[in-house]
Amino acid sequence: MKKPSILIFYLLLLCLALPANAQETKVYEAARFGLKPNSSKNASPLLQKLLQKIKAECKEGDSIVVHFAEGCYNFHEKGAAVREYYISNHDQVQPKKVGIALEDMKHLTLDGAGAQFVFHGRMLPISLLRSTDCTLKNFSIDFANPHIAQVTIVENSPENGITFEPAPWVNYRITKDSIFEVYGSSWTVRPAWGIAFEEKTKHLVYNSGDRGSAPKGVREVAPGRVNAPGWKDSCLKPGTRFVMRGWGCPTPGIFLAQNVNTSLENIKVHYAEGMGLLAQLCENITLDHFNVRLKGDDDPRYFTTQADATHFSGCKGKIISRNGLYEGMMDDAINVHGTYLKVVKRLDDRTLVGRYMHDQAWGFEWSRPDDEVQFVCSSTMEVTDKQNRIASIRPYDKEQVDGAREFIISFKEPVEPAISEKEWFGIENLTWSPEVIFAGNNVRNNRARGALFSTPRRTVVEDNLFDHTSGTAILLCGDCNGWFETGACRNVIIRNNRFVNALTSLYQFTEAVISIYPEIPDLKNQQKYFHGGDKASIVIENNEFDCFDTPLLYAKSVDGLVFRNNIIKKNTDYKPFHPNQNRFKLERVTNVMITE
């Protein structure tokens, strides 16, 4: 008679241990909603129905898994979600057509299981907004008809100009006014410039940089072969793959905003019309085997994204990016920064109006009450006044935050009288600045620069390969005059990386393999230093530099710089050409130690 009593006792304990509102994991198989792999059916409206089902069924605390079967899924503009998103460092054209719009989610896992998500037209493939503890994994993103026109140079002569063959997947036409134009179902591009790639190596052509294309007055001289007699460029040898581009940058491949604890695992972005990934106002992001890459060694394409592979604007917590491959981008592998608001009006001792200045960075939330801020004099990039905190902030030129360029900001403490619209001052949000770990990545064959960091918090760049990054491999920047991207770096470690033939072309801020280059218009009158703050703020150690040219390190306005225990190798792969022929070039740098 005692055994049942013991059993009842343990059952009662189990019941007491379980919370009254215990939730469950709900698994949604995409196939049950008609999302079957390798089908020509438009996945956009079917995905919308799946998300509506989730919203209707799931309760607070539920874990959600959306599972796809391996294979190809085609997303079209028709039936896609339509959203007004203001996305940092992109063109603020509205609205956006979104293939997979994930919003206000908690504990969501989207598992592609190897799925290939292919998009048609002009779309934002995936968005994740206002969500917590979410994971995206195991899928690729591509477009059936990229907005970039890749061509092969077949002839080049001073008399006849350039003759080229568009790649087989490129839809093109010659307009009535004899202009080469590429097009898709909902877009047209008249290429204005481009990037040249070597046929066999897929490196950018040596000392080429950005090239004008301007294929006007063209004619088709044979099926699939176009002559542009006015296009003169001796750099473009026969066999060169030339990637023609317009100026647009409408949407990234993945857009993250106002999320907490986001993971992206085993994802491949093969093409996006903007950046591969753009994250703004997010806390804690982990990228593990997140790739912006070609489909393989036999991929006929030479390009991936129109701009950066990954970009983090105004985030906080930790950004971890590890084990990724980034190649063929038209810009950097990673860029981490905040955004300065320019002071355009002083209303009283505690109230200022701040304005987003760059045309690709406005319309989204900038800060929240109690955020810590500081003020920067734009001409000298010196911090002025003491740090302050925001008491309140609201849009000044709009009723709502979305679409606003100006904000009225009240501060908890009085603001120094000199900070007004009479001089050029920027406001920097220190709260929304992240710690960064960029480790175990491979960056190669891309335009412009390898990795950019502008955060005062600890930044570790280690165990990466920077292989033919074209410009500077690592840039520590800061600019309150053009891009308005904050801010000063206080704690940076660059170690155990290998740099192979950076600086094959010249771009902005590309003074050396590692360039510490804040934009300071009035350096001669600067009294304080921009980067650093103690004797070992920036440490560059145990790296290997394998270079054809001379400049290794350029630094401007730094207090505390260490360069030690690095291996330097000289090769003859290219002819040296860089205008900076100093191995170490320092401008206004103190507390520096250089030992090779």
Side-chain angles (χ1 to χ4, degrees):
M1 296 296 292
K2 291 183 180 180
K3 289 184 180 179
S5 299
I6 294 172
L7 179 60
I8 291 170
F9 174 74
Y10 280 113
L11 287 173
L12 285 170
L13 284 180
L14 181 61
C15 290
L16 289 171
L18 289 172
N21 59 344
Q23 305 298 314
E24 58 182 311
T25 298
K26 293 185 176 179
V27 179
Y28 292 83
E29 295 290 343
R32 293 182 55 195
F33 295 84
L35 288 156
K36 297 183 179 179
N38 306 317
S39 168
S40 60
K41 186 179 292 187
N42 180 10
S44 294
L46 302 174
L47 198 284
Q48 290 278 85
K49 290 180 180 178
L50 188 158
L51 294 178
Q52 290 168 6
K53 186 76 168 175
I54 290 173
K55 291 289 187 182
E57 291 183 349
C58 292
K59 302 182 290 295
E60 182 74 22
D62 283 348
S63 294
I64 305 162
V65 177
V66 178
H67 185 267
F68 288 80
E70 184 177 3
C72 182
Y73 301 82
N74 289 281
F75 292 82
H76 295 262
E77 292 184 32
K78 185 177 180 180
V82 179
R83 296 289 188 271
E84 185 174 297
Y85 289 154
Y86 289 85
I87 304 175
S88 182
N89 294 81
H90 284 75
D91 302 331
Q92 307 299 10
V93 292
Q94 306 298 344
K96 314 286 200 257
K97 304 286 183 65
V98 188
I100 304 175
L102 307 171
E103 298 169 336
D104 305 299
M105 295 289 186
K106 291 185 178 179
H107 311 291
L108 167 74
T109 298
L110 189 153
D111 187 350
Q116 304 156 41
F117 297 146
V118 178
F119 297 84
H120 300 256
R122 179 162 273 160
M123 299 184 70
L124 196 171
I126 299 176
S127 64
L128 177 67
L129 278 73
R130 303 179 300 274
S131 297
T132 303
D133 297 323
C134 292
T135 299
L136 310 178
K137 64 181 183 180
N138 301 329
F139 59 82
S140 65
I141 291 173
D142 199 5
F143 278 73
N145 183 14
H147 313 82
I148 284 175
Q150 180 177 305
V151 305
T152 300
I153 307 300
V154 293
E155 294 177 12
N156 188 346
S157 71
E159 300 78 22
N160 300 320
I162 291 176
T163 301
F164 60 90
E165 293 180 348
W169 63 84
V170 175
N171 292 330
Y172 74 92
R173 58 195 170 208
I174 297 172
T175 65
K176 290 181 179 180
D177 50 349
S178 300
I179 293 176
F180 179 77
E181 182 177 80
V182 294
Y183 64 93
S185 58
S186 61
W187 58 271
T188 59
V189 172
R190 293 188 174 188
W193 62 294
I195 305 296
F197 290 87
E198 295 176 0
E199 178 182 9
K200 294 182 179 179
T201 65
K202 297 194 174 181
H203 300 329
L204 273 69
V205 171
Y206 160 76
N207 201 9
S208 59
D210 298 336
R211 319 295 300 180
S213 57
K216 301 176 182 178
V218 304
R219 60 194 180 97
E220 195 165 44
V221 294
R225 180 169 288 197
V226 178
N227 173 247
W231 188 10
K232 312 288 187 180
D233 190 338
S234 60
C235 179
L236 304 180
K237 308 296 184 186
T240 300
R241 300 302 192 272
F242 192 73
V243 171
M244 294 180 172
R245 305 173 56 198
W247 298 106
C249 188
T251 60
I254 299 175
F255 173 45
L256 308 177
Q258 298 172 308
N259 303 316
V260 178
N261 301 336
T262 305
S263 294
L264 296 97
E265 304 170 7
N266 192 29
I267 294 173
K268 301 179 183 70
V269 179
H270 298 307
Y271 173 76
E273 196 176 3
M275 298 176 180
L277 166 73
L278 188 288
Q280 65 193 36
L281 279 106
C282 291
E283 181 176 358
N284 299 332
I285 301 173
T286 298
L287 310 184
D288 195 351
H289 289 89
F290 182 91
N291 307 276
V292 173
R293 57 167 298 174
L294 304 174
K295 296 177 184 177
D297 293 338
D298 58 350
D299 190 342
R301 292 188 200 166
Y302 284 61
F303 62 89
T304 53
T305 55
Q306 287 262 28
D308 298 352
T310 65
H311 199 109
F312 303 87
S313 175
C315 294
K316 68 177 181 179
K318 268 192 179 182
I319 293 172
I320 301 172
S321 175
R322 59 191 177 213
N323 306 320
L325 169 59
Y326 302 103
E327 62 180 346
M329 307 85 65
M330 299 297 102
D331 248 315
D332 321 312
I334 182 172
N335 188 348
V336 182
H337 65 85
T339 304
Y340 289 111
L341 295 186
K342 181 184 177 182
V343 176
V344 294
K345 188 175 292 187
R346 182 185 179 101
L347 300 180
D348 59 44
D349 286 348
R350 295 175 188 257
T351 311
L352 302 174
V353 176
R355 189 175 198 269
Y356 279 123
M357 295 302 295
H358 196 277
D359 284 341
Q360 287 185 323
W362 57 275
F364 48 89
E365 185 180 15
W366 183 77
S367 72
R368 296 169 184 172
D370 206 43
D371 283 354
E372 187 174 32
V373 301
Q374 66 183 11
F375 303 94
V376 175
C377 176
S378 299
S379 61
T380 61
M381 295 300 288
E382 292 174 291
V383 174
T384 185
D385 203 358
K386 59 184 180 299
Q387 293 178 0
N388 210 324
R389 288 191 179 274
I390 292 177
S392 66
I393 179 169
R394 59 180 173 82
Y396 187 67
D397 60 340
K398 295 278 185 180
E399 291 296 323
Q400 68 287 334
V401 170
D402 289 349
R405 290 194 80 140
E406 295 182 351
F407 296 87
I408 183 167
I409 309 170
S410 294
F411 299 92
K412 293 188 175 182
E413 301 295 331
V415 177
E416 181 181 308
I419 299 174
S420 70
E421 68 274 19
K422 295 178 182 179
E423 300 291 339
W424 193 312
F425 288 94
I427 315 172
E428 178 180 0
N429 190 326
L430 296 172
T431 296
W432 290 88
S433 56
E435 180 179 344
V436 182
I437 298 174
F438 188 74
N441 299 292
N442 185 348
V443 183
R444 67 189 186 192
N445 302 337
N446 67 294
R447 173 189 174 276
R449 296 154 295 264
L452 281 65
F453 304 100
S454 300
T455 175
R457 303 189 192 278
R458 180 177 171 84
T459 299
V460 178
V461 186
E462 62 183 355
D463 301 319
N464 303 289
L465 171 62
F466 295 90
D467 182 5
H468 289 78
T469 54
S470 182
T472 286
I474 297 176
L475 172 63
L476 308 182
C477 34
D479 175 15
C480 193
N481 297 276
W483 290 101
F484 288 85
E485 296 180 357
T486 63
C489 295
R490 306 296 183 198
N491 184 353
V492 179
I493 298 173
I494 300 171
R495 65 190 175 202
N496 302 329
N497 302 285
R498 185 164 182 251
F499 303 95
V500 179
N501 286 342
L503 302 175
T504 57
S505 291
L506 296 179
Y507 300 94
Q508 188 180 28
F509 311 122
T510 55
E511 292 295 304
V513 176
I514 297 176
S515 187
I516 306 172
Y517 197 141
E519 189 68 38
I520 306 172
D522 190 11
L523 183 63
K524 68 179 181 180
N525 288 316
Q526 187 190 62
Q527 301 298 310
K528 305 171 186 176
Y529 295 90
F530 183 71
H531 288 297
D534 64 42
K535 62 182 181 180
S537 291
I538 301 172
V539 176
I540 304 165
E541 62 183 0
N542 302 324
N543 302 283
E544 180 180 312
F545 295 83
D546 191 347
C547 308
F548 71 94
D549 213 337
T550 304
L552 297 180
L553 173 64
Y554 170 80
K556 179 196 294 184
S557 188
V558 180
D559 176 9
L561 175 62
V562 176
F563 185 97
R564 65 190 175 204
N565 301 329
N566 296 288
I567 298 171
I568 301 168
K569 298 179 179 179
K570 193 73 178 286
N571 66 54
T572 57
D573 293 349
Y574 303 98
K575 183 179 178 181
F577 77 100
H578 201 286
N580 174 22
Q581 284 300 304
N582 300 291
R583 179 171 282 183
F584 305 101
K585 184 177 180 181
L586 310 178
E587 295 186 75
R588 203 163 187 280
V589 175
T590 190
N591 290 324
V592 57
M593 182 183 75
I594 296 177
T595 56
E596 297 180 17

